[in-house]
Amino acid sequence: MEWLTVTLTYLYERGLADGHKDTQFADDVSYYLHMVSAGTEVRINRQWDLGFTYIHRRKTFTSGLAGDTHVGRFDATHQGIAELRYHMSAAATVMLSFQYGKRTSTNALRDFQDSILSIGGQYRLSLIHISAVPNDCLSVQSCGLGGDGDPGGHRTHAGCRSIDSVDG
């Protein structure tokens, strides 16, 4: 059982608005976005784990149109998340989470700060089917996204003590 997981993520995005060079409306929302995320998850024991994540985003608008409110504008967002998870079983988990976010902008109307406390749950379904066929044997039917040369992804094999599963 791994007790510590550390993650570091970087994302670069270029958004290019339709009509970004059209001076008729003087509204170009094209941008560059840089996002960095760092997180850690600590497995306390088999049932409990605790996760912390910090995210920083900087969105720089690239408009050069005279009169556009986006000229020289940028938004910077800082977000922190703490999440406590209790694994009731391999399929069921309940969570308690706190999230804090703050965005500053060169356009003061875009500034905000928020705090969110949430309680949630997650349940993972496993799709396995077993069906009996004559002579006390079981039939396997697996439905996936393509496979075994069948473009529809449906495969059927007969054999004793086999099971039917759904992939995908």
Side-chain angles (χ1 to χ4, degrees), residues 17-82:
D18 287 340
H20 65 279
K21 294 184 182 194
D22 186 352
T23 58
Q24 178 182 1
F25 300 108
D27 185 28
D28 179 7
V29 293
S30 299
Y31 62 89
Y32 294 106
L33 174 80
H34 298 274
M35 193 266 315
V36 176
S37 169
T40 186
E41 296 210 11
V42 179
R43 173 71 67 166
I44 299 167
N45 59 36
R46 288 190 169 276
Q47 287 80 30
W48 293 94
D49 60 64
L50 183 61
F52 298 99
T53 305
Y54 170 75
I55 303 165
H56 173 73
R57 292 181 197 89
R58 180 169 172 112
K59 185 183 230 181
T60 304
F61 292 88
T62 59
S63 177
L65 300 175
D68 188 351
T69 60
H70 294 94
V71 173
R73 179 176 154 205
F74 73 88
D75 296 340
T77 304
H78 300 272
Q79 185 175 12
I81 303 165

Side-chain angles (χ1 to χ4, degrees), residues 129-148:
H129 307 283
I130 300 176
S131 59
V133 293
N135 300 328
D136 295 319
C137 289
L138 297 179
S139 172
V140 173
Q141 293 185 357
S142 175
C143 182
L145 300 175
D148 287 355

Side-chain angles (χ1 to χ4, degrees), residues 93-105:
T93 303
V94 292
M95 297 166 260
L96 176 65
S97 177
F98 178 75
Q99 175 179 315
Y100 174 81
K102 181 177 182 178
R103 177 172 63 199
T104 56
S105 177

